[in-house]
């Protein structure tokens, strides 16, 4: 932390320590993070004590959009590693008085924090903050753009269940257009060599989404869940993002056309893991009986993997 004002016009960044997107992350780096997160899993869930490698460090959680899992997960991850964490939300901060995201972040940085975790409704907002502060910035979800730590935890939960993800067929079903989870997961899976099938109503699947594929894997688009459900290795259900206006076009028959109902679950190959990033809208994209299935629902395992993934990302950002 510098105590002297920097020269105006110079853009700041922490190359190699920010964690802003999965797009562009080399496969080797993604695998290294997954291996590290997997090794940290027993400490993440409290079975063993983690080494306090971040003792004396301070992490700021700037959450300008609502969150349950991600915010608490970063908080627990930081605490498990011995760091202190401060939480700031839109209400209760000067964001409600019109202070910009960048000004807020720069003021928090001036207090000497070691890393800033940002959640914002602005697509590209985390990268914007990263250009204006010196400390590492971690994207905890920026609008419709990316949610890179979610992709890490999704890939980890899948890898634990399926082994090497090369060649695996993973369906991502729902509101693809508005979902940063879908974008980040797709980038991660394609980088790891999986074949992603995105499934949703035409209005909620962007035209050209398959062109995101820049790895050994592939992306295909389907508007018919029943035609693909028997031929996949994993299925990830997504919430329709009402807060991003996706709800306007949601048909009352969404559950019957795209929901993972008990009847559809029975068409999955036995043992196919069922993922959902949460929050779950029960009875819309997934039925209770499917979400709570002890054998194949990995929804809570994803949450456990999330703490481990965020520990790995915090160590990459700060511990050097
Ligand atoms: C997701 C998000 O906020 O992007 N939730 C999460 O972080 N686990 C998905 C969602 O809100 O539907």
């Amino acid at each position: 932390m510098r105590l002297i004002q920097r020269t105006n016009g110079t853009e700041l960044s922490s190359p190699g320590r920010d964690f802003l997107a999965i797009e562009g992350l080399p496969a080797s780096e993604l695998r290294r993070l997954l291996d590290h997160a997997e090794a940290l899993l027993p400490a993440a869930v409290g079975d063993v004590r983690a080494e306090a490698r971040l003792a004396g460090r301070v992490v700021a959680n700037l959450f300008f959009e609502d969150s349950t899992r991600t915010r608490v997960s970063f908080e627990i991850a930081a605490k498990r590693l011995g760091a202190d964490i401060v939480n700031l939300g839109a209400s209760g901060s000067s964001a409600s008085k019109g202070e910009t995201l960048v000004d807020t972040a720069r003021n928090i940085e001036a207090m000497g924090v070691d890393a800033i975790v940002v959640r914002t409704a602005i697509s590209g907002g985390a990268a914007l903050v990263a250009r204006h502060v010196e400390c590492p910035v971690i994207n905890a979800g920026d609008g419709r753009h990316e949610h890179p730590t979610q992709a890490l935890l999704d890939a980890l939960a899948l890898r634990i269940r399926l082994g090497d993800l090369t060649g695996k067929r993973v369906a991502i079903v729902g509101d693809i257009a508005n979902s940063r989870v879908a974008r980040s997961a797709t980038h991660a899976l394609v980088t790891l060599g999986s074949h992603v099938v995105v499934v949703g109503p035409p209005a909620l699947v962007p035209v050209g989404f398959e062109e995101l594929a820049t790895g050994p894997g592939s992306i295909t688009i389907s508007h018919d869940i029943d035609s693909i459900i028997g031929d996949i290795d994993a299925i990830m259900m997504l919430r329709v993002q009402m807060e991003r206006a996706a709800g306007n076009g949601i048909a009352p028959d969404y559950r019957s056309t795209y929901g993972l109902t008990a009847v559809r679950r029975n068409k999955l190959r036995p043992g196919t893991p069922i993922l959902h990033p949460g929050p779950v809208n029960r009875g819309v994209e997934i039925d209770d009986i499917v979400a709570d299935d002890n054998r194949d629902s990995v929804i809570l395992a994803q949450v456990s993997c999330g703490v481990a993934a965020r520990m790995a990302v915090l160590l990459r950002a700060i511990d050097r």
Side-chain angles (χ1 to χ4, degrees):
M1 176 67 213
R2 279 192 306 218
L3 290 177
I4 303 167
Q5 202 73 20
R6 71 193 156 85
T7 326
N8 272 344
T10 38
E11 295 217 326
L12 301 175
S13 67
S14 314
R17 301 196 294 147
D18 292 326
F19 195 61
L20 302 174
I22 299 290
E23 184 174 13
L25 198 69
S28 56
E29 178 70 355
L30 187 53
R31 289 207 168 87
R32 194 194 65 76
L33 277 165
L34 288 171
D35 291 345
H36 194 189
E38 191 163 356
L40 289 164
L41 199 50
V45 296
D47 285 349
V48 301
R49 268 183 99 82
E51 212 186 311
R53 301 230 315 251
L54 300 186
R57 306 302 192 101
V58 180
V59 176
N61 247 352
L62 305 192
F63 272 65
F64 295 131
E65 257 195 347
D66 291 345
S67 170
T68 298
R69 276 151 293 273
T70 309
R71 186 175 61 75
V72 176
S73 180
F74 270 108
E75 194 164 344
I76 292 175
K79 287 185 170 163
R80 293 257 189 246
L81 293 165
D84 288 314
I85 185 149
V86 291
N87 281 290
L88 194 67
S91 74
S93 77
S94 292
S96 67
K97 301 179 188 168
E99 188 166 34
T100 67
L101 177 62
V102 167
D103 279 340
T104 305
R106 291 186 65 194
N107 278 267
I108 297 297
E109 186 191 35
M111 297 180 208
V113 299
D114 295 284
I116 296 178
V117 180
V118 187
R119 167 166 289 199
T120 168
I122 305 167
S123 300
L128 179 70
V129 169
R131 286 199 297 276
H132 289 87
V133 299
E134 244 176 291
C135 69
V137 174
I138 298 168
N139 182 4
D142 61 331
R144 298 177 174 84
H145 175 228
E146 281 230 28
H147 192 348
T149 59
Q150 178 73 39
L152 271 188
L153 76 87
D154 291 336
L156 180 57
L158 280 170
R159 214 176 71 158
I160 290 170
R161 186 74 185 216
L162 301 175
D164 186 1
L165 297 180
T166 310
K168 296 288 191 296
R169 258 169 79 79
V170 181
I172 304 181
V173 183
D175 181 2
I176 309 299
N178 293 294
S179 175
R180 54 200 177 201
V181 174
R183 289 177 67 85
S184 288
T186 299
H187 281 303
L189 290 167
V190 169
T191 302
L192 295 170
S194 303
H195 302 297
V196 176
V197 189
V198 295
V199 187
L204 296 181
V205 180
V207 174
F209 193 84
E210 64 272 38
E211 282 152 30
L212 287 187
T214 53
S218 66
I219 306 173
T220 50
I221 292 178
S222 168
H223 302 300
D224 178 9
I225 184 170
D226 294 303
S227 68
I228 59 99
I229 197 147
D231 185 28
I232 49 178
D233 298 295
I235 186 164
M236 179 191 294
M237 304 306 296
L238 299 174
R239 181 177 70 87
V240 176
Q241 307 264 310
M242 302 295 185
E243 74 277 30
R244 297 188 215 290
N248 295 344
I250 184 176
D253 61 352
Y254 185 86
R255 174 181 171 270
S256 65
T257 47
Y258 288 100
L260 193 54
T261 58
V263 171
R264 277 203 183 99
R265 189 264 314 267
N266 292 337
K267 297 185 191 163
L268 289 166
R269 295 202 289 247
T272 303
I274 298 161
L275 292 86
H276 193 306
V280 170
N281 283 158
R282 289 169 175 265
V284 183
E285 71 271 10
I286 191 165
D287 279 7
D288 285 336
I289 195 169
V290 182
D292 298 334
D293 179 324
N294 283 331
R295 202 193 53 184
D296 294 330
S297 165
V298 298
I299 297 173
L300 293 177
Q302 286 174 269
V303 178
S304 303
C305 288
V307 178
R310 284 153 189 145
M311 287 170 76
V313 169
L314 285 171
L315 286 167
R316 174 183 182 270
I318 309 174
D319 184 33
R320 53 183 80 194

